[in-house]
Short mmCIF file of all heavy atoms in Angstrom, two decimals:
data_model
loop_
_atom_site.label_atom_id
_atom_site.label_comp_id
_atom_site.label_asym_id
_atom_site.label_seq_id
_atom_site.Cartn_x
_atom_site.Cartn_y
_atom_site.Cartn_z
N ASP A 1009 0.83 -1.18 0.00
CA ASP A 1009 0.02 -0.02 -0.02
C ASP A 1009 0.90 1.23 -0.01
O ASP A 1009 1.44 1.64 1.05
CB ASP A 1009 -0.96 0.05 1.25
CG ASP A 1009 -2.01 -1.03 1.14
OD1 ASP A 1009 -2.48 -1.31 0.04
OD2 ASP A 1009 -2.40 -1.56 2.20
N PRO A 1010 1.01 1.90 -1.14
CA PRO A 1010 1.87 3.11 -1.19
C PRO A 1010 1.29 4.26 -0.41
O PRO A 1010 2.05 5.07 0.18
CB PRO A 1010 1.92 3.47 -2.68
CG PRO A 1010 0.71 2.81 -3.31
CD PRO A 1010 0.41 1.60 -2.48
N VAL A 1011 -0.05 4.35 -0.28
CA VAL A 1011 -0.72 5.33 0.57
C VAL A 1011 -1.35 4.59 1.73
O VAL A 1011 -2.07 3.56 1.52
CB VAL A 1011 -1.80 6.08 -0.23
CG1 VAL A 1011 -2.58 7.05 0.64
CG2 VAL A 1011 -1.23 6.75 -1.46
N LYS A 1012 -1.00 5.02 2.92
CA LYS A 1012 -1.45 4.33 4.11
C LYS A 1012 -2.82 4.89 4.52
O LYS A 1012 -2.97 5.98 4.91
CB LYS A 1012 -0.48 4.49 5.32
CG LYS A 1012 0.97 4.01 5.01
CD LYS A 1012 0.98 2.56 4.56
CE LYS A 1012 2.41 2.11 4.31
NZ LYS A 1012 2.50 0.81 3.61
N LEU A 1013 -3.90 4.10 4.26
CA LEU A 1013 -5.28 4.52 4.52
C LEU A 1013 -5.77 4.09 5.90
O LEU A 1013 -6.80 4.60 6.33
CB LEU A 1013 -6.17 3.93 3.43
CG LEU A 1013 -5.84 4.29 2.03
CD1 LEU A 1013 -6.73 3.53 1.06
CD2 LEU A 1013 -6.01 5.84 1.81
N GLY A 1014 -5.02 3.19 6.54
CA GLY A 1014 -5.49 2.68 7.86
C GLY A 1014 -4.34 2.61 8.79
O GLY A 1014 -3.44 3.43 8.78
N GLN A 1015 -4.40 1.63 9.68
CA GLN A 1015 -3.46 1.49 10.71
C GLN A 1015 -2.69 0.15 10.37
O GLN A 1015 -3.23 -0.74 9.66
CB GLN A 1015 -4.06 1.32 12.08
CG GLN A 1015 -4.84 2.55 12.52
CD GLN A 1015 -5.62 2.33 13.74
OE1 GLN A 1015 -5.02 1.96 14.83
NE2 GLN A 1015 -6.94 2.47 13.74
N ASP A 1016 -1.51 -0.08 10.93
CA ASP A 1016 -0.79 -1.32 10.71
C ASP A 1016 -1.43 -2.47 11.44
O ASP A 1016 -1.36 -3.65 10.97
CB ASP A 1016 0.63 -1.20 11.18
CG ASP A 1016 1.48 -0.26 10.28
OD1 ASP A 1016 1.13 -0.11 9.11
OD2 ASP A 1016 2.48 0.25 10.74
N GLU A 1017 -2.14 -2.25 12.55
CA GLU A 1017 -2.88 -3.23 13.23
C GLU A 1017 -3.97 -2.58 14.02
O GLU A 1017 -3.87 -1.39 14.34
CB GLU A 1017 -1.99 -4.03 14.18
CG GLU A 1017 -1.20 -3.28 15.15
CD GLU A 1017 -0.18 -4.07 15.93
OE1 GLU A 1017 0.53 -4.88 15.30
OE2 GLU A 1017 -0.20 -3.95 17.15
N VAL A 1018 -4.99 -3.34 14.33
CA VAL A 1018 -6.14 -2.81 15.07
C VAL A 1018 -6.78 -3.87 15.92
O VAL A 1018 -6.74 -5.04 15.54
CB VAL A 1018 -7.22 -2.19 14.07
CG1 VAL A 1018 -7.83 -3.22 13.23
CG2 VAL A 1018 -8.26 -1.40 14.79
N VAL A 1019 -7.23 -3.47 17.12
CA VAL A 1019 -7.94 -4.40 17.94
C VAL A 1019 -9.40 -3.89 17.98
O VAL A 1019 -9.68 -2.78 18.27
CB VAL A 1019 -7.36 -4.45 19.38
CG1 VAL A 1019 -8.22 -5.30 20.28
CG2 VAL A 1019 -5.94 -4.91 19.37
N LEU A 1020 -10.29 -4.82 17.61
CA LEU A 1020 -11.74 -4.51 17.55
C LEU A 1020 -12.43 -5.31 18.70
O LEU A 1020 -11.94 -6.39 19.14
CB LEU A 1020 -12.35 -4.97 16.29
CG LEU A 1020 -11.63 -4.44 14.94
CD1 LEU A 1020 -12.14 -5.23 13.73
CD2 LEU A 1020 -11.92 -3.01 14.80
N ASN A 1021 -13.53 -4.76 19.14
CA ASN A 1021 -14.44 -5.51 20.03
C ASN A 1021 -15.82 -5.56 19.40
O ASN A 1021 -16.46 -4.53 19.28
CB ASN A 1021 -14.44 -4.80 21.41
CG ASN A 1021 -15.15 -5.63 22.43
OD1 ASN A 1021 -16.09 -6.32 22.15
ND2 ASN A 1021 -14.65 -5.58 23.63
N ILE A 1022 -16.22 -6.72 18.95
CA ILE A 1022 -17.54 -6.86 18.32
C ILE A 1022 -18.27 -7.88 19.17
O ILE A 1022 -17.88 -8.99 19.36
CB ILE A 1022 -17.35 -7.39 16.86
CG1 ILE A 1022 -16.52 -6.41 15.99
CG2 ILE A 1022 -18.75 -7.57 16.26
CD1 ILE A 1022 -16.30 -6.85 14.61
N GLU A 1023 -19.38 -7.40 19.74
CA GLU A 1023 -20.25 -8.23 20.53
C GLU A 1023 -19.49 -8.87 21.72
O GLU A 1023 -19.79 -9.98 22.15
CB GLU A 1023 -20.89 -9.31 19.72
CG GLU A 1023 -21.88 -8.85 18.68
CD GLU A 1023 -23.33 -8.66 19.24
OE1 GLU A 1023 -23.97 -9.67 19.71
OE2 GLU A 1023 -23.80 -7.50 19.26
N GLY A 1024 -18.47 -8.14 22.22
CA GLY A 1024 -17.69 -8.69 23.37
C GLY A 1024 -16.58 -9.61 22.93
O GLY A 1024 -15.82 -10.07 23.79
N VAL A 1025 -16.38 -9.86 21.63
CA VAL A 1025 -15.27 -10.69 21.12
C VAL A 1025 -14.16 -9.75 20.68
O VAL A 1025 -14.36 -8.90 19.79
CB VAL A 1025 -15.79 -11.60 19.95
CG1 VAL A 1025 -14.60 -12.38 19.39
CG2 VAL A 1025 -16.84 -12.54 20.42
N LYS A 1026 -13.01 -9.93 21.23
CA LYS A 1026 -11.87 -9.10 20.86
C LYS A 1026 -11.18 -9.74 19.65
O LYS A 1026 -10.91 -10.96 19.62
CB LYS A 1026 -10.85 -8.99 22.02
CG LYS A 1026 -11.32 -7.96 23.11
CD LYS A 1026 -10.25 -7.74 24.15
CE LYS A 1026 -9.16 -6.83 23.60
NZ LYS A 1026 -8.16 -6.50 24.65
N ILE A 1027 -10.86 -8.89 18.65
CA ILE A 1027 -10.30 -9.37 17.45
C ILE A 1027 -9.13 -8.49 17.12
O ILE A 1027 -9.12 -7.30 17.12
CB ILE A 1027 -11.32 -9.16 16.26
CG1 ILE A 1027 -12.59 -9.97 16.59
CG2 ILE A 1027 -10.73 -9.53 14.93
CD1 ILE A 1027 -13.80 -9.57 15.70
N PHE A 1028 -8.00 -9.21 16.83
CA PHE A 1028 -6.75 -8.50 16.37
C PHE A 1028 -6.71 -8.66 14.88
O PHE A 1028 -6.80 -9.77 14.31
CB PHE A 1028 -5.54 -9.19 17.02
CG PHE A 1028 -4.25 -8.67 16.52
CD1 PHE A 1028 -3.82 -7.39 16.78
CD2 PHE A 1028 -3.38 -9.45 15.79
CE1 PHE A 1028 -2.59 -6.86 16.38
CE2 PHE A 1028 -2.12 -8.98 15.33
CZ PHE A 1028 -1.78 -7.71 15.59
N ALA A 1029 -6.51 -7.53 14.18
CA ALA A 1029 -6.41 -7.55 12.65
C ALA A 1029 -5.18 -6.86 12.23
O ALA A 1029 -4.85 -5.74 12.71
CB ALA A 1029 -7.70 -6.85 12.13
N THR A 1030 -4.45 -7.46 11.32
CA THR A 1030 -3.25 -6.92 10.73
C THR A 1030 -3.03 -7.56 9.33
O THR A 1030 -3.67 -8.57 9.05
CB THR A 1030 -2.02 -7.21 11.65
OG1 THR A 1030 -0.89 -6.46 11.19
CG2 THR A 1030 -1.72 -8.65 11.79
N HIS A 1031 -2.14 -6.99 8.54
CA HIS A 1031 -1.92 -7.59 7.28
C HIS A 1031 -1.12 -8.90 7.39
O HIS A 1031 -1.43 -9.88 6.65
CB HIS A 1031 -1.20 -6.59 6.37
CG HIS A 1031 -0.93 -7.14 4.97
ND1 HIS A 1031 -1.96 -7.48 4.11
CD2 HIS A 1031 0.19 -7.40 4.32
CE1 HIS A 1031 -1.48 -7.96 2.97
NE2 HIS A 1031 -0.15 -7.86 3.03
N GLY A 1032 -0.15 -8.94 8.25
CA GLY A 1032 0.65 -10.14 8.42
C GLY A 1032 2.13 -10.04 8.07
O GLY A 1032 2.96 -10.76 8.60
N HIS A 1033 2.50 -9.09 7.20
CA HIS A 1033 3.89 -8.95 6.80
C HIS A 1033 4.83 -8.58 7.99
O HIS A 1033 5.94 -8.94 8.03
CB HIS A 1033 4.08 -8.00 5.65
CG HIS A 1033 3.70 -6.54 5.96
ND1 HIS A 1033 2.37 -6.18 6.30
CD2 HIS A 1033 4.43 -5.46 6.03
CE1 HIS A 1033 2.36 -4.94 6.52
NE2 HIS A 1033 3.62 -4.43 6.39
N LEU A 1034 4.30 -7.85 8.97
CA LEU A 1034 5.08 -7.42 10.10
C LEU A 1034 5.28 -8.56 11.09
O LEU A 1034 6.12 -8.45 12.01
CB LEU A 1034 4.45 -6.25 10.80
CG LEU A 1034 4.26 -4.97 9.97
CD1 LEU A 1034 3.45 -4.00 10.76
CD2 LEU A 1034 5.57 -4.40 9.54
N TYR A 1035 4.62 -9.64 10.88
CA TYR A 1035 4.69 -10.83 11.77
C TYR A 1035 5.20 -12.09 11.05
O TYR A 1035 4.98 -13.19 11.56
CB TYR A 1035 3.30 -11.06 12.46
CG TYR A 1035 2.90 -9.93 13.32
CD1 TYR A 1035 2.15 -8.87 12.80
CD2 TYR A 1035 3.43 -9.85 14.66
CE1 TYR A 1035 1.81 -7.83 13.65
CE2 TYR A 1035 3.06 -8.75 15.43
CZ TYR A 1035 2.31 -7.78 14.95
OH TYR A 1035 1.93 -6.69 15.70
N SER A 1036 5.74 -11.97 9.85
CA SER A 1036 6.28 -13.10 9.08
C SER A 1036 5.26 -14.17 8.82
O SER A 1036 5.55 -15.38 8.93
CB SER A 1036 7.50 -13.68 9.78
OG SER A 1036 8.46 -12.69 10.03
N ALA A 1037 4.02 -13.73 8.51
CA ALA A 1037 2.93 -14.67 8.31
C ALA A 1037 3.13 -15.70 7.23
O ALA A 1037 2.50 -16.77 7.24
CB ALA A 1037 1.61 -13.95 8.07
N LYS A 1038 4.04 -15.42 6.26
CA LYS A 1038 4.30 -16.39 5.20
C LYS A 1038 5.13 -17.54 5.70
O LYS A 1038 5.14 -18.61 5.05
CB LYS A 1038 5.01 -15.75 4.04
CG LYS A 1038 4.09 -14.85 3.19
CD LYS A 1038 4.76 -14.32 1.98
CE LYS A 1038 3.79 -13.57 1.09
NZ LYS A 1038 4.39 -12.98 -0.12
N THR A 1039 5.80 -17.39 6.84
CA THR A 1039 6.66 -18.50 7.30
C THR A 1039 6.22 -19.11 8.61
O THR A 1039 6.51 -20.28 8.87
CB THR A 1039 8.11 -18.06 7.46
OG1 THR A 1039 8.16 -16.92 8.31
CG2 THR A 1039 8.66 -17.71 6.11
N THR A 1040 5.54 -18.32 9.47
CA THR A 1040 5.08 -18.86 10.78
C THR A 1040 3.86 -18.10 11.23
O THR A 1040 3.67 -16.94 10.88
CB THR A 1040 6.19 -18.77 11.79
OG1 THR A 1040 5.71 -19.30 13.05
CG2 THR A 1040 6.63 -17.33 12.01
N LEU A 1041 2.97 -18.81 12.03
CA LEU A 1041 1.88 -18.08 12.59
C LEU A 1041 2.16 -17.74 14.12
O LEU A 1041 1.30 -17.10 14.77
CB LEU A 1041 0.58 -18.90 12.49
CG LEU A 1041 0.09 -19.11 11.09
CD1 LEU A 1041 -1.16 -19.91 11.03
CD2 LEU A 1041 -0.17 -17.72 10.38
N ASN A 1042 3.31 -18.21 14.57
CA ASN A 1042 3.60 -18.05 16.05
C ASN A 1042 3.60 -16.57 16.45
O ASN A 1042 3.04 -16.18 17.48
CB ASN A 1042 4.94 -18.71 16.39
CG ASN A 1042 4.83 -20.20 16.42
OD1 ASN A 1042 3.68 -20.75 16.64
ND2 ASN A 1042 5.91 -20.87 16.17
N ARG A 1043 4.29 -15.73 15.65
CA ARG A 1043 4.37 -14.32 16.07
C ARG A 1043 3.08 -13.59 16.04
O ARG A 1043 2.75 -12.79 16.92
CB ARG A 1043 5.41 -13.61 15.16
CG ARG A 1043 6.83 -14.04 15.40
CD ARG A 1043 7.81 -13.35 14.53
NE ARG A 1043 7.84 -11.90 14.79
CZ ARG A 1043 8.10 -10.98 13.81
NH1 ARG A 1043 8.44 -11.34 12.58
NH2 ARG A 1043 8.07 -9.72 14.12
N ILE A 1044 2.26 -13.83 15.02
CA ILE A 1044 0.99 -13.19 14.97
C ILE A 1044 0.03 -13.71 16.04
O ILE A 1044 -0.79 -12.97 16.59
CB ILE A 1044 0.38 -13.33 13.51
CG1 ILE A 1044 -0.63 -12.27 13.28
CG2 ILE A 1044 -0.16 -14.67 13.25
CD1 ILE A 1044 -1.00 -12.08 11.81
N TYR A 1045 0.15 -15.03 16.33
CA TYR A 1045 -0.63 -15.57 17.46
C TYR A 1045 -0.26 -14.93 18.76
O TYR A 1045 -1.13 -14.51 19.55
CB TYR A 1045 -0.45 -17.10 17.53
CG TYR A 1045 -0.70 -17.62 18.92
CD1 TYR A 1045 -2.02 -17.81 19.37
CD2 TYR A 1045 0.33 -17.91 19.80
CE1 TYR A 1045 -2.23 -18.21 20.65
CE2 TYR A 1045 0.14 -18.36 21.04
CZ TYR A 1045 -1.20 -18.51 21.50
OH TYR A 1045 -1.40 -18.93 22.79
N MET A 1046 1.04 -14.82 19.04
CA MET A 1046 1.50 -14.25 20.25
C MET A 1046 1.04 -12.79 20.39
O MET A 1046 0.64 -12.36 21.50
CB MET A 1046 3.02 -14.29 20.35
CG MET A 1046 3.49 -15.71 20.58
SD MET A 1046 5.25 -15.91 21.07
CE MET A 1046 6.04 -15.18 19.58
N ARG A 1047 1.05 -12.00 19.30
CA ARG A 1047 0.57 -10.64 19.37
C ARG A 1047 -0.90 -10.55 19.67
O ARG A 1047 -1.37 -9.78 20.51
CB ARG A 1047 0.89 -9.93 18.04
CG ARG A 1047 0.43 -8.46 18.06
CD ARG A 1047 1.34 -7.60 18.98
NE ARG A 1047 0.90 -6.26 18.87
CZ ARG A 1047 0.35 -5.54 19.86
NH1 ARG A 1047 0.15 -6.07 21.08
NH2 ARG A 1047 -0.03 -4.31 19.70
N GLY A 1048 -1.73 -11.40 19.03
CA GLY A 1048 -3.12 -11.43 19.35
C GLY A 1048 -3.39 -11.90 20.79
O GLY A 1048 -4.24 -11.31 21.49
N ASN A 1049 -2.69 -12.87 21.22
CA ASN A 1049 -2.81 -13.37 22.57
C ASN A 1049 -2.45 -12.32 23.58
O ASN A 1049 -3.07 -12.17 24.62
CB ASN A 1049 -1.96 -14.66 22.75
CG ASN A 1049 -2.32 -15.41 24.00
OD1 ASN A 1049 -3.50 -15.64 24.31
ND2 ASN A 1049 -1.31 -15.71 24.75
N GLU A 1050 -1.40 -11.52 23.24
CA GLU A 1050 -0.96 -10.48 24.15
C GLU A 1050 -2.09 -9.41 24.32
O GLU A 1050 -2.17 -8.78 25.39
CB GLU A 1050 0.24 -9.79 23.44
CG GLU A 1050 0.87 -8.65 24.18
CD GLU A 1050 2.06 -8.13 23.43
OE1 GLU A 1050 3.08 -8.82 23.39
OE2 GLU A 1050 1.93 -6.99 22.84
N GLU A 1051 -2.85 -9.24 23.26
CA GLU A 1051 -3.95 -8.30 23.36
C GLU A 1051 -5.27 -8.95 23.88
O GLU A 1051 -6.32 -8.31 23.93
CB GLU A 1051 -4.26 -7.72 21.95
CG GLU A 1051 -3.17 -6.83 21.44
CD GLU A 1051 -3.13 -5.46 22.12
OE1 GLU A 1051 -4.12 -5.07 22.78
OE2 GLU A 1051 -2.11 -4.78 21.99
N ASN A 1052 -5.15 -10.17 24.32
CA ASN A 1052 -6.26 -10.93 24.89
C ASN A 1052 -7.40 -11.13 23.86
O ASN A 1052 -8.56 -11.07 24.19
CB ASN A 1052 -6.84 -10.30 26.16
CG ASN A 1052 -5.85 -10.38 27.32
OD1 ASN A 1052 -5.23 -11.43 27.58
ND2 ASN A 1052 -5.63 -9.22 27.91
N CYS A 1053 -7.00 -11.33 22.64
CA CYS A 1053 -7.95 -11.46 21.51
C CYS A 1053 -8.25 -12.97 21.29
O CYS A 1053 -7.40 -13.81 21.39
CB CYS A 1053 -7.46 -10.83 20.20
SG CYS A 1053 -7.30 -9.10 20.33
#
């Protein structure tokens, strides 16, 4: 995204369910889910 229209990550609360949303590139999502899982877990999502 050459123009940044949003945030790099966001925590949402929908109906009491916490959701962590990010693109994935900052957490090496192509090679492992551990880092993105740990970040979501850190936010209690």
Side-chain angles (χ1 to χ4, degrees):
D1009 289 326
V1011 177
K1012 305 300 182 195
L1013 301 173
Q1015 302 172 57
D1016 290 337
E1017 56 187 47
V1018 64
V1019 175
L1020 308 167
N1021 190 324
I1022 300 176
E1023 294 274 297
V1025 175
K1026 283 186 77 176
I1027 302 168
F1028 174 68
T1030 190
H1031 182 62
H1033 65 294
L1034 299 174
Y1035 296 93
S1036 305
K1038 286 186 177 180
T1039 57
T1040 181
L1041 294 180
N1042 287 334
R1043 290 181 60 210
I1044 200 167
Y1045 155 75
M1046 288 190 300
R1047 181 70 177 114
N1049 192 50
E1050 179 181 289
E1051 292 287 343
N1052 295 312
C1053 293

